Amino acid sequence: MELCQWWRHIVVFLLHAWIPSCFAQTTPPVRLSPTPTPQTAEGPETLKFRLSGFPRKHNEGRIEVFYKGEWGTICDDDFSLANAHVLCRQLGFVSATGWTHSAKYGKGTGKIWLDNVQCSGSERSVSVCKSRGWGNSDCTHDEDAGVICKDERLPGYVDSNVIEVQVDENKVEEVRLRPVFTIATKRMPVTEGVVEVKNKDGWAQICDNGWTPKNSHVVCGMMGFPHEKKVNKNFYKQEPKAKAISKTSTKPKPGKSAAAKRLYSERQKNHFLVHSVACLGTEVHLAACPLEFNYDNATESCPGGMPAVVSCVPGPLYAQSTVMRKKLKMPSTIRLKGGAKYGEGRVEVLKGSEWGTICDDRWNLLSASVVCRELGFGSAKEALTGARMGQGLGPIHMNEVQCTGHERSLWNCRYKNITAEDCKHTEDASLRCNVPYMGFEKTVRILGGRSRYEGRVEVLYTETNGTLRWGLICGEGWGTEEAMVVCRQLGLGYANHGLQETWYWDSSNVTEMVMSGVKCTGDEMSLSQCQHHRTVNCQKALARFSAGVICSETASDLVLNAPLVQQTTYIEDRPLHMLYCAAEEDCLSKSAAKANWPYGHRRLLRFSSQIHNIGRADFRPKAGRHSWVWHACHGHYHSMDIFTHYDLMSANGTKVAEGHKASFCLEDSDCDEGVSKRYECANFGEQGITVGCWDLYRHDIDCQWIDISDVKPGNYILQVVINPNYEVAESDFTNNAMKCNCKYDGHRIWVHNCHIGDAFSEEAEKKFEKYPGQLNNQIS
């Protein structure tokens, strides 16, 4: 006991001695004035971030950090999506959608500030993530990391850390053609003008001394045009208006002469940033060409020369005259599929009479640029691998494509024929091309939604007196095809839904309808190209009945297994007493109502339907669970009113018999390896078809047939159309129809040549008439 008390005295003595000295070390001195506490160099307040490199969009690029007065990069070792989330937030975006390695956006210069960065994703700054420390790296700039941010700003974000243009004068990222003709400034697209590059002081010109057509070819490719043409330089050298006046009159009008001189002097206010360009012609960006920059007095550094001027030839889609459009035809042996915009998609080529895809081995920007220019666009912005635009169908025709960049067609490039073992459709190559700027996004907007991807549609309308104002669009008849055009016009991807009522988005003070009866095919570039009423005619003209859209970056893509239909087709004579349930669900032809029930039979053309989702988003019914209809006869809910059309047609397209028009239910019957089922109809489960899965309707289940009891012997076309009314959005509707040749002799049936509607060439497709089932599904 005495020993314990002795130890207590010692401990108390030590604490009294230690605590004051500890406080003396940690307590800051008293400040007499509110001087701010200086931040450490590593603090987020002194770090700056920017996206750099080419080719890229504003929300992606090589990530660069400004630290200790110097810009540097981040190594891709141990890089992850969590790192990208932190960096994108510091750039002012809500999150990241991906990241890149191996200097995808080009190699940076200077320091590699960070290496082996490991963030959890919730950090407020990359400076607090684990790493090897500032400036400690064993990487080269071949390993520079990049980020792809979601194109949505943080709420309240004002000062952008995204520096679109390098401060370094030896970098060129933004290039434009500035038109000089007054009329050319109002006409889209701009095909000719002075080449200007952006630097820290604004826009500057390039000296045309030594300028070659190869340089023009690169610039035109960046602007979205496939080819260049010779420029009339005299217009840019002389003073055309003043010369014309002097020829016609010895006493020119002072006003006109002065105006011409002002126009001429304005043209000549040049600031030359670059005095030499030496492109090979295969580059996808001017910055990839050897450039020599001016460091002296830039306004006098182009002796005997003038600003470089480029004139481009637009592709067929962007030609300004119908004569030119007819002259510039699209190629018939190559196409893009599955993209949300023009100039992007999965690359497909026609070999023999069958379309097929390209394997992504060695796929790069040079090869992608050949495709883009062949299709009438500019150079390639991105060469995508791994079926980024969805998986294709049928054969894979090419592998290890290697283009030099000078080829006129992809078929002129080196490539290998492949076997089934070499590649799978998970390796389908795709691309995004540079396309001309058309300004379509300025004439339409969506407001009131929960995000920038949804809202009420408003169009910019010109009144008879020239006044511009926003009006609403009547929701009557508005659907998925119209929504597809709006989403494309705004660059918001695919259309999820076209809405006819938007009362829950009534946040705009615009209330007047200025457009009605809008009818689009879905392929238009803007709503102005769609049909609509000349004068507004809207039965429900209130603002809450205006048109709306919900857009999405990804979409599903349904396709039928055509070979399985061909393998499983047969005829069955089924007794009427076994068809009561089918009759209740309207799965028989109309003549069945007059039959002598329960005696007799119906002749049924049976086959299996295996419907795959090869897109990039799950296929979900448009209607919510509360709207699904219970079918007691078969014991399940129908989630869509019309999911498929089963039709038998004559050679001229006249329908002679039809099958059922409703879905049983939507579920994952089976999936590709590594993909898990998500949807199951049992027990009122969620319905849909997962990406990489398929829904199988076997030939031996109720209503999986066409009632051909009244069909006479002859040659027919068997047609199946999935999602015929475009009720649910897909990235590609052209592959929703399947057709087969069909011969019926009154006792047996032969089905052959089953294929998806766009799988063959136009010549092969002429064996079939165009299917009217999508537009008119009535039996004639």
Side-chain angles (χ1 to χ4, degrees), residues 242-495:
K243 287 191 74 175
I245 292 167
S246 63
K247 285 182 179 179
T248 56
S249 174
T250 54
K251 294 181 179 180
K253 294 181 180 178
K256 287 189 176 180
S257 178
K261 287 181 179 178
R262 281 199 302 273
L263 177 64
Y264 180 70
S265 62
E266 285 173 5
R267 287 199 206 118
Q268 300 306 307
K269 288 180 181 177
N270 298 316
H271 172 77
F272 293 99
L273 177 68
V274 181
H275 68 78
S276 177
V277 181
C279 298
L280 298 174
T282 58
E283 296 88 350
V284 297
H285 198 286
L286 197 65
C289 302
L291 306 174
E292 290 187 19
F293 292 82
N294 294 315
Y295 296 104
D296 52 359
N297 187 349
T299 58
E300 299 177 358
S301 57
C302 189
M306 58 176 276
V309 179
V310 166
S311 184
C312 305
V313 178
L317 288 171
Y318 303 95
Q320 292 170 346
S321 68
T322 53
V323 175
M324 187 61 72
R325 287 194 195 101
K326 291 179 180 178
K327 188 177 178 181
L328 302 169
K329 292 183 179 179
M330 295 287 278
S332 58
T333 59
I334 192 163
R335 68 186 184 187
L336 299 180
K337 300 283 283 184
K341 309 173 194 172
Y342 281 102
E344 70 175 30
R346 179 177 61 253
V347 182
E348 295 190 353
V349 291
L350 185 67
K351 193 173 184 180
S353 62
E354 192 170 8
W355 288 97
T357 61
I358 296 176
C359 190
D360 62 13
D361 293 350
R362 297 201 176 190
W363 184 246
N364 60 21
L365 283 170
L366 280 178
S367 301
S369 290
V370 171
V371 174
C372 287
R373 291 184 187 270
E374 185 179 358
L375 288 169
F377 304 107
S379 51
K381 189 158 48 175
E382 290 179 89
L384 303 169
T385 58
R388 282 274 299 278
M389 292 289 180
Q391 296 181 34
L393 300 166
I396 301 174
H397 286 320
M398 305 171 86
N399 187 24
E400 296 192 22
V401 178
Q402 291 179 274
C403 302
T404 64
H406 294 291
E407 295 88 351
R408 285 280 181 171
S409 170
L410 190 71
W411 290 107
N412 301 136
C413 301
R414 290 172 54 196
Y415 69 93
K416 289 183 179 179
N417 293 312
I418 64 172
T419 62
E421 292 76 29
D422 290 331
C423 276
K424 297 180 180 178
H425 282 298
T426 53
E427 302 169 80
D428 283 341
S430 53
L431 52 75
R432 288 192 177 101
C433 305
N434 286 313
V435 297
Y437 177 70
M438 301 297 290
F440 287 137
E441 77 285 353
K442 295 179 180 179
T443 59
V444 68
R445 68 185 183 186
I446 55 175
L447 295 174
R450 296 160 294 182
S451 73
R452 60 189 292 264
Y453 288 91
E454 63 181 30
R456 282 170 53 184
V457 181
E458 297 180 3
V459 292
L460 194 59
Y461 178 74
T462 306
E463 294 183 318
T464 52
N465 61 4
T467 304
L468 294 174
R469 62 187 175 91
W470 294 97
L472 301 176
I473 298 178
C474 179
E476 293 170 13
W478 185 266
T480 303
E481 297 100 313
E482 291 71 38
M484 287 165 63
V485 176
V486 172
C487 293
R488 180 185 300 118
Q489 191 171 347
L490 291 171
L492 296 178
Y494 306 94

Side-chain angles (χ1 to χ4, degrees), residues 206-210 233 236-237 268 270 272 301-308:
I206 299 175
C207 180
D208 77 336
N209 286 337
K233 289 188 176 181
Y236 297 90
K237 286 180 179 177
Q268 300 306 307
N270 298 316
F272 293 99
S301 57
C302 189
M306 58 176 276

Side-chain angles (χ1 to χ4, degrees), residues 73-93:
T73 62
I74 297 177
C75 182
D76 61 16
D77 291 350
D78 291 333
F79 209 85
S80 66
L81 188 61
N83 295 356
H85 281 312
V86 175
L87 289 163
C88 284
R89 286 198 297 271
Q90 291 194 265
L91 287 161
F93 296 96

Side-chain angles (χ1 to χ4, degrees), residues 661-704:
K661 296 183 181 180
S663 63
F664 290 109
C665 63
L666 294 173
E667 66 178 358
D668 296 325
S669 301
D670 209 346
C671 301
D672 291 330
E673 185 177 353
V675 180
S676 300
K677 298 179 183 180
R678 298 182 60 185
Y679 303 106
E680 187 176 12
C681 294
N683 302 317
F684 199 26
E686 288 293 334
Q687 292 196 24
I689 306 176
T690 306
V691 174
C693 299
W694 54 88
D695 193 358
L696 175 64
Y697 298 127
R698 285 175 53 90
H699 59 84
D700 55 359
I701 63 175
D702 246 3
C703 297
Q704 189 57 35

Side-chain angles (χ1 to χ4, degrees), residues 88-105:
C88 284
R89 286 198 297 271
Q90 291 194 265
L91 287 161
F93 296 96
V94 294
S95 62
T97 60
W99 62 277
T100 64
H101 58 84
S102 305
K104 177 188 172 181
Y105 297 102

Side-chain angles (χ1 to χ4, degrees), residues 86-148:
V86 175
L87 289 163
C88 284
R89 286 198 297 271
Q90 291 194 265
L91 287 161
F93 296 96
V94 294
S95 62
T97 60
W99 62 277
T100 64
H101 58 84
S102 305
K104 177 188 172 181
Y105 297 102
K107 295 187 287 188
T109 57
K111 294 275 191 181
I112 298 176
W113 277 125
L114 292 171
D115 189 7
N116 298 108
V117 179
Q118 297 179 45
C119 304
S120 67
S122 60
E123 293 87 353
R124 66 188 180 94
S125 171
V126 72
S127 62
V128 299
C129 299
K130 293 179 182 179
S131 71
R132 296 179 62 155
W134 289 97
N136 185 7
S137 170
D138 60 358
C139 299
T140 66
H141 282 295
D142 288 316
E143 302 166 83
D144 284 343
V147 295
I148 305 163

